[in-house]
């Protein structure tokens, strides 16, 4: 496996994520697109770290980012569940109707 392969897979993940965010209107699908984009960035960062400086200390930062991403995904699903329970749908157009 080369750094070019890793970056190619990472860019494919980001491209699929961008397509998912821009083409979907369901909140869960938009969140999944965001997750794909973040995973692409994490893969690119991890690959570059591995090939340029194989020091394991940089991987701790990636673990922190993955933990933050997990919290973000949980928040996205909580918003989708709230939308579905209040209005019976979870479209992004209706997300503007949420009030504190």
């Amino acid at each position: 496996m080369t750094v070019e392969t890793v970056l190619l897979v990472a860019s494919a993940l980001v491209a699929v994520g961008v397509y998912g965010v821009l083409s979907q209107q369901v909140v869960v699908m938009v969140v999944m697109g965001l997750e794909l984009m973040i995973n692409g960035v994490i893969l690119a960062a991890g690959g570059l770290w591995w090939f340029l400086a194989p020091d394991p200390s940089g991987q701790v930062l990636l673990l922190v980012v993955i933990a933050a991403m997990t919290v973000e995904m949980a928040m996205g699903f909580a918003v989708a569940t709230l939308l579905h329970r209040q209005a019976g749908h979870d479209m992004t157009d209706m997300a503007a109707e949420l009030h504190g």
Side-chain angles (χ1 to χ4, degrees):
M1 182 171 291
T2 62
V3 69
E4 291 88 8
T5 305
V6 171
L7 292 178
L8 183 67
V9 171
S11 63
L13 281 175
V14 171
V16 169
V18 167
Y19 176 75
V21 167
L22 295 178
S23 67
Q24 299 294 322
Q25 290 187 345
V26 178
V27 173
V28 174
M29 297 302 285
V30 171
V31 171
M32 290 178 70
L34 289 172
E35 292 298 317
L36 280 176
M37 288 193 292
I38 293 172
N39 281 331
V41 171
I42 289 172
L43 180 63
L48 286 176
W49 238 313
W50 177 260
F51 286 105
L52 297 179
D55 184 21
S57 64
Q59 295 173 0
V60 174
L61 178 63
L62 292 177
L63 290 175
V64 170
V65 171
I66 290 171
M69 188 174 71
T70 303
V71 171
E72 179 256 334
M73 188 70 170
M75 292 299 295
F77 281 124
V79 169
T81 303
L82 179 67
L83 282 172
H84 185 70
R85 286 184 180 172
Q86 285 187 347
H89 50 77
D90 58 349
M91 305 298 280
T92 56
D93 296 338
M94 304 302 170
E97 298 174 2
L98 289 176
H99 298 282

